[in-house]
Amino acid sequence: MIAALTGLGLSTAAGLNAYIPLLVVGVLANFTDTVRLPDGYSWLSNWGVLAVLAVLLLAETVVDKVPALDSINDTIQTVVRPASGGVVFSATSAAAELDNSTWMSEHPWAGWALGIVLALAVHVVKAVARPVINAGTAGVGAPVVSTVEDAGSLGMSLLAVLAPALVIVALLVLVLLAWWLIRKVLRFRARRRAARGHTLG
């Protein structure tokens, strides 16, 4: 159960930023006993891999804060973020096998599938909301929202590893926030359609 909550939290974080949860898992695996990576996932703690992830994180951190470029980045990340979610979820699920989790050992695909789906869901909400935020704030909101997303990804990653029981609360908050954002996006698009119809009329 704890491994599942950790996986859920890390996959959610991956939906916001693909590289932060991977870095958190890798660094903590090197310096603490809170993360135990099975042999098949030991590459996550390799310093060469972590260096590459750090460079990619730096690049995305810059690009994601620039209006228009952030949407291009979101298009590219449609593949990367779900893949990252699958990796971090399956890594924690595989770690649960070390605790004699029979179900996880019999269904190794479950971690990948859940991680991919959850990260993709979060990514879609983020990608759909960002252009609306940019349009509504004349681009000023892009760096602010991006910073909040990065902080949220880091916070969720640390929470997932250090206090997985609180992941449920964090996920509920995120669901409510996603619902609110989706309503805002739908209303914004409805107003734009109405304005266009009025102009054409």
Side-chain angles (χ1 to χ4, degrees):
M1 181 62 179
I2 295 299
L5 290 175
T6 298
L8 286 172
L10 290 171
S11 297
T12 300
L16 294 171
N17 188 301
Y19 310 112
I20 289 177
L22 292 173
L23 281 167
V24 167
V25 168
V27 171
L28 289 179
N30 277 318
F31 289 110
T32 73
D33 295 326
T34 56
V35 175
R36 294 182 301 161
L37 295 172
D39 292 337
Y41 296 90
S42 59
W43 58 271
L44 270 175
S45 60
N46 180 278
W47 286 111
V49 172
L50 293 176
V52 172
L53 290 174
V55 171
L56 292 173
L57 173 61
L58 179 61
E60 182 177 2
T61 299
V62 174
V63 172
D64 197 51
K65 291 173 176 57
V66 180
L69 289 181
D70 59 352
S71 294
I72 295 174
N73 179 57
D74 280 337
T75 300
I76 297 171
Q77 294 295 323
T78 300
V79 175
V80 180
R81 287 173 187 152
S84 173
V87 169
V88 289
F89 198 117
S90 61
T92 53
S93 296
E97 294 178 26
L98 301 177
D99 297 323
N100 299 317
S101 175
T102 304
W103 194 90
M104 284 296 184
S105 62
E106 293 176 351
H107 303 83
W109 54 268
W112 277 96
L114 287 172
I116 289 171
V117 170
L118 186 55
L120 180 61
V122 174
H123 164 73
V124 168
V125 173
K126 165 184 162 64
V128 170
R130 183 61 73 82
V132 175
I133 293 172
N134 289 345
T137 62
V140 177
V144 176
V145 174
S146 178
T147 300
V148 171
E149 290 168 352
D150 292 342
S153 181
L154 177 60
M156 180 65 88
S157 296
L158 293 174
L159 192 67
V161 175
L162 303 177
L166 296 179
V167 167
I168 296 176
V169 176
L171 287 175
L172 287 175
V173 172
L174 189 62
V175 167
L176 290 175
L177 179 61
W179 176 73
W180 179 79
L181 278 174
I182 290 171
R183 288 186 63 189
K184 285 286 187 181
V185 168
L186 293 176
R187 288 176 180 175
F188 179 81
R189 289 181 173 177
R191 286 197 298 268
R192 290 189 66 176
R193 284 196 297 269
R196 288 173 182 170
H198 179 73
T199 301
L200 292 175

